[in-house]
Amino acid sequence: MSNVLFKRTEALTSKEFSYCPGCTHGIIHRIVAEVLEELNILDRTIGVSPVGCAVMNYEYFNCDMQQASHGRAPAVATGIKRVLPNNIVFTYQGDGDLASIGTAEIVHAAHRSENITVIFVNNAIYGMTGGQMAPTTLVGQKTTTSPTGRDPRHSGYPIKISEMLATIPGATYIERVSVHNPQNVRKAKQAVKRAFEMQIQGKGFSMVEFVSTCPVNWGKTPQDALNWLVDNMIPYYPLGVYRQPEAGEKNE
Amino acid sequence: MSNVLFKRTEALTSKEFSYCPGCTHGIIHRIVAEVLEELNILDRTIGVSPVGCAVMNYEYFNCDMQQASHGRAPAVATGIKRVLPNNIVFTYQGDGDLASIGTAEIVHAAHRSENITVIFVNNAIYGMTGGQMAPTTLVGQKTTTSPTGRDPRHSGYPIKISEMLATIPGATYIERVSVHNPQNVRKAKQAVKRAFEMQIQGKGFSMVEFVSTCPVNWGKTPQDALNWLVDNMIPYYPLGVYRQPEAGEKNE
Amino acid sequence: MAKVMMKGNEAMGLAAIKGGCRAFFGYPITPQNEIPEYLARVMPEYGGVFLQAESEVAAINMIYGASGAGVRSMTSSSSPGIALKQEGITYIAGAELPCVIINVMRGGPGLGGIQPSQADYKQVTRGGGNGDYYLLAFAPENLQETVNIVKEAFDLAEIYRNPVMIAVDGLIGQMMEPVDVDMEIPKREIPEKTWATTGTLGKRERNVVNSLYLDPQALENHSLKLKAKYDLMREKEQRYELVNVDHSEIVIVAYGTMARICRSAMEILNEKGINVGLLRPISIYPFPEKAFAELPSTVKGLLTCELSTGQMIDDVKIANNGKLPIGFFGRTGGMLPEPEEIVDAVIKMIGGMKNE
Amino acid sequence: MAKVMMKGNEAMGLAAIKGGCRAFFGYPITPQNEIPEYLARVMPEYGGVFLQAESEVAAINMIYGASGAGVRSMTSSSSPGIALKQEGITYIAGAELPCVIINVMRGGPGLGGIQPSQADYKQVTRGGGNGDYYLLAFAPENLQETVNIVKEAFDLAEIYRNPVMIAVDGLIGQMMEPVDVDMEIPKREIPEKTWATTGTLGKRERNVVNSLYLDPQALENHSLKLKAKYDLMREKEQRYELVNVDHSEIVIVAYGTMARICRSAMEILNEKGINVGLLRPISIYPFPEKAFAELPSTVKGLLTCELSTGQMIDDVKIANNGKLPIGFFGRTGGMLPEPEEIVDAVIKMIGGMKNE
Amino acid sequence: MAKGRIEVAVESCKGCGLCINACPLNLLELDTNTLNSKGYQPMRIHTPDKCIGCTFCALMCPDVVITVERL
Amino acid sequence: MAKGRIEVAVESCKGCGLCINACPLNLLELDTNTLNSKGYQPMRIHTPDKCIGCTFCALMCPDVVITVERL
Amino acid sequence: MNSEKINCAGFGGQGVMLIGQLLAYAANEEGFNTLWYPSYGPETRGGTANCSVTISKQPVNSPVISKADSIIIMNKPSLDKFEDKVRPDGKIFINSTLVNKKVNRSDVEVFYIPVNDMAAELGNPKVANLIMLGAYLESTKLFEDEVIIKLLKKSFGENKAHLIPINQQALQAGRIFIRQ
Amino acid sequence: MNSEKINCAGFGGQGVMLIGQLLAYAANEEGFNTLWYPSYGPETRGGTANCSVTISKQPVNSPVISKADSIIIMNKPSLDKFEDKVRPDGKIFINSTLVNKKVNRSDVEVFYIPVNDMAAELGNPKVANLIMLGAYLESTKLFEDEVIIKLLKKSFGENKAHLIPINQQALQAGRIFIRQ
Ligand SMILES: Cc1ncc(C[n+]2csc(CCOP(=O)(O)OP(=O)(O)O)c2C)c(N)n1
Ligand SMILES: Cc1ncc(C[n+]2csc(CCOP(=O)(O)OP(=O)(O)O)c2C)c(N)n1
Ligand code: SF4
Ligand code: SF4
Ligand code: SF4
Ligand code: SF4
Ligand code: SF4
Ligand code: SF4
Ligand SMILES: [Mg+2]
Ligand SMILES: [Mg+2]
């Protein structure tokens, strides 16, 4: 009898993703879902959906979900986790959501070391609204609100969220990953697993930042988008662990 | 004929400060005002008042002023500076204002490297509203909303704003100072002068963080408050320059 | 139990706990600070959560999370802080979550002042968020009523799955009065929170808390469902007090502290032989239109009195529907009238009517 | 000039520039994105400022700063984004700064949907901020009217030193129609901005932009000054169109896209021999109460039609003051009725009136 | 000869091609003759015999429409 | 003998005492016999002769009520 | 013609919005009143995109088209969605390359035009929409090709000027198909 | 007494709020209706602080005191502010240590009590407010000292129990001053 090497995780519902073809949101969803399944926490997990292309992922993750207002997912997650400390709570947020409008909420979730896990999908653009500039948009990158390319004299240099949050004592675990090839997909999954393990162990705030693509608004084919990501995003947003607890500690 | 060694700067109006006796807000006001006078920029300066004990400092600084909503002074300053790039624009903000509700606005003013100067007064408490916990309140410090002392398991460790903002490429100049004795008052004035000079030279975002006192809500005499600041605040919030431009550069 | 003296804000904090509140998220603002400060001390004794949020915006979204997780939760703030919560509030209404919001009103607009005011009437009753939604909103006049309503609010919020706002002026928050926090409130059947996201535990279908309906027909259906709820509130939750309206020529319409001041004015008027009644809205959404139908035909005019430049008067006009002339007396910005000012306003109105 | 085809959002962007707007601060949200996107391209050509803010909250506070500095400035957003701006808006009103705010309305409450809606009527006309303040608010029905009003708005904002909101449903933002952006608008005398903070340059007393008045009497005076302004608006700025009201038995009250759909319904009704009029508010604050006084005595009923579950109807009730029966027809959540639905509603209303 | 076998939920495939690039043996292609009901040309394996069951294609599929079995 | 002279706007002094600690020569004290109209005991210099005009007191005064002159 | 109401629908990327816009622009050029209005938002992603155009000698009132005079259908889901939305005696233009279904109604005039195949033949799959537009224009006699080409020239600018001939051919191909 | 309305005013820190609160608490203990209401906010910082207390057999309606029956004045600015706010035949209790001014009105009963000096004599400057309260109670015969002491005991708890005697002396001192 044949042996299944890979099949769709049951931590995803059967609903088809609404993402554009080749959008890495889908890969990231699968990774998160598989981790929830493998850690056997799906049935006590409550996820928080952002406002962004992933807004409807409450239809995809096969667990209890709350849809949060734009940028406020960490506050919503805080509300949930504080009243249900034994449940697992995660947010899933884009860069417009987390790095722009939701800056205060992510900083203070880290600051209070809320025992939640944040999945941060940085595709350097506002995907859902049609491709406006994000704080993470690269210098020179053309978007609908930076039609001649992002100019640092006008808009500054892109903000590096993992680096910034890593200065906060309460930020227990922070890693930046990518899913541009199968090797990195595997690494990314390890990172997500470590992040949720932190939460299970009560160690406080954990976040995994994915550099991700938006083929449609970048105006590229899905594969070209991945290549562009490797050539442009990763050099500016280096992958790696930005913060992890020292042995035995909760946080600093 | 006698020679004036020190007199009240004309960059302050004659209106008496409403601050409590011994509150270091007053010293900081004087420093900022003297710098505006000495750099000869008072008549083209527009200051932005916060919501906090300093809310009425639009009555103290002898220049055009705008009173901003709580935490949004950097956004207000951005609005002013973008339309009047040749004017000098500064904000004056407390730690509740800047480090809590206004986190997104200060981070993104730094991120865009708005060419403004921020005077950040960190007294580790909400002074005006009667002594609630701030994100900067020290561990163990008792406040009306941390009645048994700040507990890091509940509220995390205090956030270090200068350190955090220093990771942002657009943050051109960041220094933390104190005014607990005349020597430090002089140093602090130098820092404020450097910060405004950055702005005059068009170098982008500058901020001086003052560790400051709130004798009334700390429940201490003014001098004891200064001593407590030296013993407790400065060790956690070390003084010094956290970011300055490398020679010739605007920012990173 | 004997009545104890409590400050309004603290009494509301304790009443919330007695009403089953086990999660409070808020942000400092005068004149409501004693609510969070009290709960910071006392909530831990009840095993509940007290957390100071980084902002009003964060606080209301924490409420969304905690209510969505099935826990009775409350936030409090004052006027500009409530303005900041508007997006969060419309989300909570849209997602049909219960919660209690206290607005200890101060003078506006903008930063305004910190003295007592009723100038948020429209902010409270019309919402400031987007879309077709309303809050159930109460405006009590003394601490006993306030405490009872805060307790009831948690039940009502769950029955209607809707946010309940309690709007008191700063004076009610700051004053002390004797109050019995254990006074019985109506027992109601509270529906089970089958919708709460508490983890499926493998025992039920997953729950989703959400206000997004991309299909316009679905969103219309949702809005009509909400509307049916508001219609039901209108039918069932109108609350008001009628004082001395029989044989009165003029009826004052006033709520909260303004109603108390009007009561004193009525005493003075009574001494002068002028018979004046009071129609006191307790619920301001739904506005007690029924009370107007109960007014006897002796009534020849209504005098709306508010601590604002005139906001509730629109609801009075709608309820009155052209029947009686409507006068207005208001003070605003934190100014509290002396009863004599209302006496004068009533006398003037009577004079005006006579001259017509 | 010949009319050119423009998308509503882009036409509003260009109209703003023609109206003297030299600073735009905004944040992306559907269905208004073409406004910022257009201005990102075009504003630099006019030497103006385009900046995408980190949030709606930041954007409205940038407007405060830029307006306070004397520059004509504008922000735009859509329903939940406007909810987030409420605190900033009450500050701007409190500090008496001019500015223009565009709300391209979508379905609510909460995140709701992104299809056209008029369910922000109360959010727009009652404010959602604290305190006694109002916006001057317009709700045009086609692109030419929209463009003209956007241009005028900058003048009106400065004349009244008050924010002006232009509320259009998403359809007006998204559609293309022929439009002449250079059509003349009324010339008005614009007061000098002596209050702007531009640096004293040693030439004048310092200026302060502020909404704080800790002394309640000062705040009351300030509120009364604002009220006088709103009363003046009420007197001078009521705008409306009356269509075919003479000899009509029923007058429809509708604005924006709903008014256009009603016009089509009126044609169908006309063919059926039923004479129906239209009272179309163009200003929604001040609400055109004067228009109701102009209705001839032939009119026997009003039918309020909205893309909401019923919000403007409160203003209709107030303006009508009990005179005529008021019916309601609404679709919401992004649903747009076909003209036939309105035809049916009118016929039903006539039937109902006959039966009474 | 094949060590692995893949199955594609063709109706759900969006034809993004990420799997194609991921396959170390270049076994995959878009089926230019088909258009699924969503309007996409779905992926197909042109040389199923060579599949080694490495799952790379599945790891990269954003729509999680690939199942891989060991033979 | 004095090199400096200080002047205090007594009605505006809040009696906080920060100047007192700052004076390197310990010349300052609160005037316990006076209460200004704000209700504070204002600062006074008890030994004006010794003032060296170092301005430390003025640098530390939060209410900017001290003027220092060189003599 | 007194007034014409059109719905165009297809997959995002098939250029249905452009068909509608060209009709609206042309109408404005020719002195008609007109209104173009897209369905917008995330559901256009992957799903169907569509737009409505009203062209009229009178001012355009309701932007909502209850019953269209013509509908242009570029894919199958759109036929399912819009088949009922055309008035009796109206016209349905169907991209028969992608729609292998027939229209159920018998009270309308239906044109099955294999525009994708025809575009492939012309050597540029992207002009399928212009072939459809040509067919529509030929059938309704609304506007001449010149008007459309003038508009395309303006919008293409110099960079894309070389694409004008192929678009012209596409329009022609559509017209010829109808004539036959 | 049917009803008594009192204003207490002074610098922040002089304990005027406590005077008012003790009166209100005592009233509640003794079965009266009562309402205490502070002025609040930043203007209390440095400026004057004051509170109003209404004590009544009837339910308390307006919390606003148009004309007080008694006012307690702990500093000079408060006298300026409140002098007019007492009804004819009302009482004014003045801290004459800090208020070196006389009351202008002749239609009221005025008590000049040097409470700061007296407190200094008692050895604890902080009890000036209790001396004032004692004086007020003696003059109005509202409550016995026992009620006040019981309340203070409750609020002081064990930590501050040692302060009870000095407060008791202060009340007494105030009473004695009035009696003389
Ligand atoms: C308060 C508010 N502001 C703005 C929007 C509009 N909006 C929807 S999604 C989005 C941002 C999407 O960008 P991002 O978070 O980067 O997610 P992505 O779509 O790129 O995955 C915005 C601004 C909204 N719905 N609510
Ligand atoms: C939107 C809003 N939220 C809250 C408040 C209340 N408030 C006034 S001042 C203040 C904070 C003061 O703390 P901080 O910024 O540290 O200044 P400090 O008084 O300590 O100098 C707060 C929360 C307000 N006015 N507006
Ligand atoms: S718009 Fe971009 S981020 Fe959003 S689903 Fe499409 S490709 Fe992905
Ligand atoms: S409350 Fe604190 S920060 Fe505010 S003026 Fe007083 S001492 Fe200074
Ligand atoms: S499992 Fe490996 S070898 Fe087989 S098709 Fe997929 S990527 Fe190619
Ligand atoms: S990666 Fe998945 S969706 Fe993309 S082409 Fe391959 S099978 Fe289809
Ligand atoms: S100037 Fe120096 S020496 Fe003189 S009083 Fe001041 S601190 Fe003392
Ligand atoms: S520092 Fe200034 S305010 Fe303080 S006591 Fe000295 S002179 Fe007075
Ligand atoms: Mg993004
Ligand atoms: Mg502070």
Side-chain angles (χ1 to χ4, degrees), chain B residues 18-21 23-25 53 123 127-128 213-217, chain H residues 45:
Chain B
S18 61
Y19 304 110
C20 307
C23 173
T24 37
H25 266 306
C53 280
N123 59 7
M128 177 173 234
T213 64
C214 176
V216 161
N217 288 304
Chain H
R45 197 165 289 156

Side-chain angles (χ1 to χ4, degrees), chain E residues 10-43:
Chain E
V10 177
E11 276 303 299
S12 302
C13 170
K14 292 181 186 153
C16 71
L18 291 189
C19 52
I20 297 174
N21 252 63
C23 176
L25 289 118
N26 277 317
L27 309 179
L28 309 179
E29 63 182 7
L30 294 188
D31 185 349
T32 47
N33 295 321
T34 316
L35 213 62
N36 66 15
S37 63
K38 284 213 189 70
Y40 300 117
Q41 299 180 333
M43 178 269 269

Side-chain angles (χ1 to χ4, degrees), chain C residues 75-143:
Chain C
T75 187
S76 63
S77 190
S78 175
S79 310
I82 297 290
L84 280 171
K85 290 184 199 277
Q86 297 290 15
E87 191 211 19
I89 293 173
T90 171
Y91 264 73
I92 293 175
E96 293 193 86
L97 296 177
C99 77
V100 176
I101 303 164
I102 294 178
N103 180 4
V104 184
M105 298 182 280
R106 57 191 249 179
L111 189 50
I114 57 175
Q115 300 303 321
S117 167
Q118 298 177 332
D120 294 357
Y121 182 90
K122 287 190 173 166
Q123 187 186 35
V124 169
T125 59
R126 299 303 190 271
N130 55 299
D132 288 308
Y133 77 97
Y134 292 95
L135 309 184
L136 189 52
F138 297 101
E141 71 163 351
N142 61 43
L143 289 198

Side-chain angles (χ1 to χ4, degrees), chain A residues 25 51-54 70 94-98 101 121 123 125-129, chain C residues 87 91, chain D residues 27-30 56 80-81 84 106 111:
Chain A
H25 266 305
V51 169
C53 280
H70 191 30
D95 47 333
D97 196 72
L98 183 146
I101 191 170
V121 181
N123 59 6
I125 206 152
Y126 285 76
M128 175 172 235
T129 42
Chain C
E87 191 211 19
Y91 264 73
Chain D
Y27 187 78
I29 185 167
T30 309
E56 289 87 353
L84 280 172
R106 56 190 248 178
L111 188 49

Side-chain angles (χ1 to χ4, degrees), chain A residues 18-25 53 123 125 127-128 213-217, chain G residues 45:
Chain A
S18 62
Y19 305 110
C20 307
C23 173
T24 37
H25 266 305
C53 280
N123 59 6
I125 206 152
M128 175 172 235
T213 63
C214 177
V216 162
N217 288 304
Chain G
R45 200 164 287 157

